[in-house]
Amino acid sequence: LEGEMLNGVKNGEWTKSAKGILYSKENYKNGELHGTQYYFNDKYINRSEREEAKECGITEKKHIYLSSIENYKNGSLDGNQYQFNYKGDLLTFEQYKKGRRDGVYENYHYKGYLLFYAEYKDGWYNGKYISVTWEDEAVYDSKYRFQGYEQYKSGMTVAHFKDGWLD
């Protein structure tokens, strides 16, 4: 770890690296995470992944990639958060305010399909909720309606919440 200490606590930019490879770039204010944080990971590209990796411009066996971006305010998650796979595809997007989910949460299959979508307010489900189970990479139209939510044959569930309760 490298960074500046001020009055005995972390302050400013701190980096973590090993063998010349950067693994994190964090920002601190008065000892607490503050601002945008960057986290990196390494991945060995195995034989079965090489062709797909080449299509994404990845040619080396060991690939260093940006795995997540997190935003903090005074030590609490605040703002947009992102997680990526080794190809740079978005896996998770979520919004926070004062350490609680507040806004949209989206989770994607590595092939780009939406798996989960929910809207939050102050840490509680509030708005749309969609959960998807993919069968043969397709979602079917037919659905069954239950009290408060819809269940599709494919496994997709659509619901609406208000203040944490099914609406």
Side-chain angles (χ1 to χ4, degrees):
L1 286 173
E2 293 181 21
E4 177 187 334
M5 297 288 279
L6 183 64
N7 299 323
V9 296
K10 291 179 179 179
N11 206 55
E13 184 177 289
W14 279 70
T15 58
K16 180 181 178 182
S17 56
K19 298 181 183 178
I21 298 170
L22 179 66
Y23 285 98
S24 67
K25 184 174 150 185
E26 299 175 325
N27 293 288
Y28 287 86
K29 181 179 172 184
N30 301 321
E32 296 182 323
L33 289 170
H34 189 82
T36 303
Q37 322 304 315
Y38 299 92
Y39 298 97
F40 303 87
N41 211 335
D42 55 14
K43 169 155 179 59
Y44 283 95
I45 307 300
N46 64 42
R47 208 172 275 228
S48 66
E49 297 170 321
R50 285 187 191 147
E51 196 60 42
E52 189 176 10
K54 280 182 186 176
E55 291 173 11
C56 299
I58 301 167
T59 56
E60 64 275 5
K61 282 186 179 180
K62 183 176 182 180
H63 177 61
I64 309 302
Y65 66 99
L66 177 65
S67 59
S68 65
I69 300 172
E70 299 175 359
N71 287 286
Y72 285 81
K73 188 172 182 181
N74 300 320
S76 294
L77 286 169
D78 198 277
N80 296 340
Q81 319 300 319
Y82 307 88
Q83 290 182 353
F84 307 96
N85 67 13
Y86 77 97
K87 297 181 295 179
D89 300 325
L90 181 66
L91 296 177
T92 304
F93 171 76
E94 53 190 324
Q95 297 174 311
Y96 278 79
K97 189 174 182 182
K98 297 180 181 178
R100 294 178 166 218
R101 279 191 181 141
D102 197 278
V104 172
Y105 174 88
E106 300 170 341
N107 184 252
Y108 294 90
H109 186 275
Y110 73 95
K111 290 185 177 182
Y113 307 120
L114 179 69
L115 294 174
F116 184 78
Y117 173 93
E119 296 169 356
Y120 286 83
K121 183 154 180 71
D122 200 27
W124 293 92
Y125 288 128
N126 194 64
K128 228 178 238 184
Y129 169 101
I130 301 172
S131 176
V132 179
T133 302
W134 289 93
E135 292 179 9
D136 299 324
E137 301 180 4
V139 173
Y140 301 98
D141 282 352
S142 56
K143 62 184 176 183
Y144 300 95
R145 181 133 178 96
F146 297 99
Q147 187 174 358
Y149 66 95
E150 297 172 350
Q151 179 74 51
Y152 292 75
K153 278 186 180 178
S154 65
M156 181 170 72
T157 302
V158 178
H160 192 274
F161 284 83
K162 185 172 182 180
D163 300 324
W165 297 94
L166 272 174
D167 190 19

